[in-house]
Each structure stands twice: as structure tokens, then as C-alpha cells.
Amino acid sequence: MMTIHVDTKNEALSTEAALAHCSAPGHGAADLFIGRVRDLNQGRAVNAVSYDLHPLLCCNVFREICEEARAEWGEALHFWLEHRQGRLAVGDDSVVVAVSSPHRDESFKACRYLVEQMKHRAPIWKQEHYVDGDSAWVQGHALCSHG
């Protein structure tokens, strides 16, 4: 069985498929992260986000990140990382990341690692579309200090 799954999609992402992939008899933990389009960013009302990406390069980076996590937290881990492309409405899932492992600590840490590294390294561009009709390309970042 392939224990690493990475992809980019033009259609809705499946959390059920992610959790099914991240399952094994010896795994007592599975973490699932869902990134969603929110309606407010830095004080501006948002009604959609467009994601532009390079599918092949993204998948290469996603796989590299998963391999790094496997080297850090163990060979037994299973990984799922998919990102949407195209225009998404508020509430749509933009990314699904799942990791399973024998114990929760490795699963938590590896899932967080995948999300943060993807934000920094994957060739994904994000354009926010605002309620007032304006739009802007925004820079990705690991953690927000704003609400």
C-alpha cells in the first residue's frame, strides 16, 4: 500500500478519502486538518478566493514534505495532502491534510509540519476577492497573529 498520497484538484476535496487512506490496524491516532475559505481577512470582507498552482511542482513539494515528516516521526506514518485550485467560495475546503500513526504525538506533529511547510514551500498563489468588488493577491504565512 502507498502510504503517501498527494494531489491537486479542480473539484471538492474528500475528508472521508483522507481518513480512509490514513488508517491501519496499528494506528491509534489520525489527525485531519481542513483549510477553508473564510469571510474576513485583515478587516476586509471576502466572498471568494482563487488558488493558482503548478500541479506537478506542488505534488513534488508535497511528496518531499511527507518524506521529511516520515524521516522525522517514523516509517509507519500514513500521509494525505491535497489542495484545491480555482475559485472557491467562503466555506469551501481549500486543503485537506491527514496523518495517521501508532501514537498521537507523531500524528499531531507531522500533520502540523505538513501544513506549515506546504504554506511556505508549495508553488500556490492565492487571490482574495472582496465583497466591495476589489481583489488582491495575498502572501501565504505560517501563523496569523490576527483573528
Side-chain angles (χ1 to χ4, degrees):
M1 175 187 180
M2 297 291 295
T3 58
I4 295 176
H5 169 86
V6 297
D7 205 356
T8 61
K9 301 263 185 171
N10 288 315
E11 59 199 39
L13 303 175
S14 171
T15 55
E16 293 83 9
L19 289 174
H21 176 82
C22 289
S23 178
H27 286 186
D31 276 80
L32 176 67
F33 173 84
I34 304 167
R36 289 192 170 131
V37 175
R38 66 177 176 268
D39 67 352
L40 188 67
N41 188 31
Q42 299 190 342
R44 296 193 74 179
V46 174
N47 64 13
V49 171
S50 293
Y51 290 95
D52 192 13
L53 55 81
H54 188 290
L56 180 59
L57 290 177
C58 273
C59 287
N60 288 341
V61 170
F62 293 170
R63 185 168 306 282
E64 182 179 279
I65 293 167
C66 292
E67 292 290 351
E68 291 168 3
R70 173 177 282 158
E72 178 70 23
W73 290 288
E75 291 293 320
L77 276 65
H78 291 195
F79 301 92
W80 179 279
L81 201 173
E82 287 189 340
H83 202 291
R84 284 280 305 270
Q85 60 181 334
R87 187 175 174 123
L88 282 66
V90 169
D92 286 348
D93 297 345
S94 59
V95 62
V96 171
V97 178
V99 177
S100 65
S101 62
H103 304 285
R104 67 181 179 274
D105 190 43
E106 296 87 358
S107 189
F108 280 132
K109 288 176 179 174
C111 189
R112 176 70 182 261
Y113 182 80
L114 265 58
V115 172
E116 300 300 336
Q117 291 301 309
M118 175 201 59
K119 289 274 195 184
H120 284 289
R121 295 163 49 183
I124 299 170
W125 297 272
K126 178 179 173 181
Q127 183 181 27
E128 289 182 338
H129 304 282
Y130 303 107
V131 172
D132 65 9
D134 194 14
S135 65
W137 291 96
V138 295
Q139 194 169 26
H141 36 78
L143 291 173
C144 298
S145 58
H146 53 80

